[in-house]
Amino acid sequence: MIEPILVLGIPLDFILFALTLLGVALFHHHTLAIALAGLAAIAAYKLAFTGFKFGIGLAGLGLHMQHEWAILANLFLLLMGFALLSRHFEKSQIPEEMPALLPDDWKGGFALLVVVFVLSSFLDNIAAALIGGTMARHVFRGKVHIGYLAAIVGASNAGGSGSVVGDTTTTMMWIDGVSPLSVLEAYVAASVAMVIFGIPAALQQHRYSPITKDAPAGLAIDWARVFIVALILVGAILANVAMNLRFPALIGVVPVIGLAVWAAILATAALRKPDWEVMPETFKGTIFLLALVTCASMMPVEQLPLASWQTALGLGFVSAVFDNIPLTALALKQGGYDWGFLAYAVGFGGSMIWFGSSACVALASMYPEAKSVGLWLRHGWHVAIAYVIGFFVMLAALGWHPDAEHKKRVSKTPPVTMAVIVHPAHSHN
């Protein structure tokens, strides 16, 4: 790869990406066109001047996309598939039953966020966010505050940050030799953050549209749709287990998890027809996210600043606009981090901006009014504050303990023993 062109010491690649993100932030009614234009501009620049990580010209672009295609395909299949899952869940009537299970005041809104937090610790974060968004739409009579939407995303991302099966980045750490107990420490920060953003968001929502106090009379749960939802989620989990324990060579090569989700959707289509009408809008949101992820993958990021708690804190903010998977890969290659802090930072950080994670984009397809950086930051202010407070509470409680022996352990551990469940849907941007 040829050295990038610098403008005031900044690679032109980054300037083009920054302009793309700025355009998305300022012109939120044209996000797809801006993301695609940005991707085209970055690809054209690299074709003409610098080449890609794996070569120059069209051959370099082809090799780059070959390296990235499995992640992109999984994101596409999961975002599209989980949109259908959320409709099955909605039509099952379980969301209508939720008022009978939740407290009647603002605490009901907070309890719903806790449910999303717990679901995301073992389910895909996209599914957790969409299930949370579906329940919110019913219990709040279709009026969901943007600040509460930000909290749903925050709960889905925070919930997976301390679990090695709850987030792609934490799974990457486990595969690379990091102890699951080190990752588990992230829940110290995530739990604090959950309270910090959850209570203000629940109060915002209560003032905007109080929770429905009673479930409709004569409600009949559609257990066939409940079965379909469960089958899709179980299918994704089993595909993860089979791929990682039996066929680890498929990781990063075939979009196994996304294919498993669609196999379950198609296999049950005769039992209950999927709501295909949601596909066009979901498709646009999915292509938007994939365009930003592809832009991020083309950035010439070869190293991070020296490992420290300050760097980990900063990576959380970077994760709101940059794909957290390459950030985590670089951190693992570099070594020397306290992995609980890094897991929390890159896992939860993307919640601060609406296009900061796949869960955000998926929820914004359900609630188009969320596609505004200004409104997200204005009403979801508590998410950014919670991120910082949670980080420093963890730092005060546990201290910064860099794992200097991580790279030595990796070299001594047979790769097959490190195979675990992967959740590629938690990719930011």
Side-chain angles (χ1 to χ4, degrees):
M1 186 175 71
I2 303 171
E3 289 296 319
I5 298 173
L6 302 180
V7 178
L8 299 177
I10 303 173
L12 186 56
D13 318 56
F14 284 112
I15 293 176
L16 291 173
F17 189 34
L19 289 174
T20 302
L21 296 176
L22 181 62
V24 169
L26 294 178
F27 305 103
H28 54 270
H29 294 297
H30 307 284
T31 54
L32 177 58
I34 292 169
L36 291 175
L39 175 59
I42 293 169
Y45 161 71
K46 298 186 81 68
L47 281 169
F49 297 104
T50 68
F52 302 84
K53 294 176 183 178
F54 303 98
I56 61 174
L58 291 175
L61 175 60
L63 289 172
H64 180 85
M65 296 310 298
Q66 180 181 340
H67 183 265
E68 298 291 330
W69 92 274
I71 291 176
L72 297 176
N74 254 320
L75 280 173
F76 178 84
L77 293 171
L78 290 173
L79 282 164
M80 299 292 285
F82 284 139
L84 295 175
L85 176 145
S86 70
R87 292 293 291 153
H88 276 307
F89 179 72
E90 184 169 13
K91 290 183 176 182
S92 73
Q93 301 298 322
I94 287 181
E96 296 282 2
E97 183 68 26
M98 292 303 295
L101 306 176
L102 297 173
D104 291 339
D105 55 7
W106 68 268
K107 293 188 288 294
F110 182 75
L112 195 153
L113 294 176
V114 172
V115 170
V116 174
F117 183 97
V118 173
L119 284 176
S120 191
S121 67
F122 59 90
L123 290 182
D124 183 271
N125 72 313
I126 299 174
L130 289 176
I131 288 172
T134 301
M135 291 189 293
R137 180 156 60 191
H138 284 261
V139 302
F140 298 122
R141 306 180 185 89
K143 296 178 61 179
V144 185
H145 196 277
I146 290 181
Y148 194 78
L149 293 176
I152 291 175
V153 172
S156 69
N157 287 336
S161 65
S163 167
V164 292
V165 297
D167 190 306
T168 304
T169 55
T170 55
T171 303
M172 290 170 63
M173 294 175 195
W174 195 13
I175 291 173
D176 208 52
V178 174
S179 168
L181 294 178
S182 296
V183 174
L184 187 65
E185 293 178 354
Y187 277 135
V188 174
S191 300
V192 171
M194 177 69 218
V195 174
I196 298 297
F197 73 74
I199 293 177
L203 291 171
Q204 282 177 321
Q205 180 60 50
H206 185 67
R207 290 191 295 267
Y208 183 66
S209 179
I211 194 168
T212 302
K213 293 186 177 182
D214 299 301
L219 192 64
I221 302 297
D222 187 341
W223 292 106
R225 291 192 186 273
V226 174
F227 168 75
I228 292 172
V229 170
L231 184 65
I232 293 171
L233 294 174
V234 171
I237 294 172
L238 290 179
N240 279 324
V241 172
M243 180 178 65
N244 286 279
L245 297 183
R246 296 291 184 180
F247 310 104
L250 294 179
I251 298 174
V253 178
V254 180
V256 175
I257 306 167
L259 290 174
V261 166
W262 273 91
I265 290 171
L266 296 176
T268 56
L271 184 61
R272 289 290 186 275
K273 179 185 175 182
D275 193 353
W276 302 115
E277 289 78 10
V278 303
M279 289 290 93
E281 189 64 30
T282 303
F283 179 78
K284 291 190 290 184
T286 300
I287 296 302
F288 162 76
L289 177 65
L290 297 185
L292 291 186
V293 170
T294 306
C295 287
S297 73
M298 293 181 179
M299 294 300 101
V301 180
E302 306 299 335
Q303 62 182 4
L304 299 174
L306 292 177
S308 66
W309 69 260
Q310 292 92 339
T311 300
L313 177 66
L315 288 178
F317 291 99
V318 174
S319 183
V321 295
F322 196 86
D323 190 351
N324 66 343
I325 290 178
L327 291 178
T328 304
L330 287 171
L332 289 167
K333 181 179 179 181
Q334 180 182 21
Y337 281 89
D338 186 321
W339 301 110
F341 284 88
L342 188 73
Y344 169 74
V346 299
F348 181 54
S351 312
M352 289 185 274
I353 296 180
W354 78 265
F355 53 79
S357 86
S358 52
C360 301
V361 175
L363 197 64
S365 296
M366 184 182 292
Y367 295 93
E369 64 271 22
K371 297 180 181 179
S372 169
V373 171
L375 291 176
W376 193 275
L377 293 175
R378 177 185 173 189
H379 298 293
W381 54 268
H382 36 69
V383 173
I385 291 176
Y387 168 70
V388 175
I389 293 176
F391 188 96
F392 281 107
V393 168
M394 183 176 176
L395 186 63
L398 302 181
W400 174 264
H401 300 290
D403 187 1
E405 299 298 314
H406 155 252
K407 296 175 76 68
K408 295 180 182 179
R409 287 200 308 275
V410 173
S411 64
K412 297 178 182 179
T413 305
V416 69
T417 65
M418 305 310 297
V420 291
I421 300 172
V422 177
H423 286 268
H426 211 3
S427 171
H428 288 326
N429 304 7

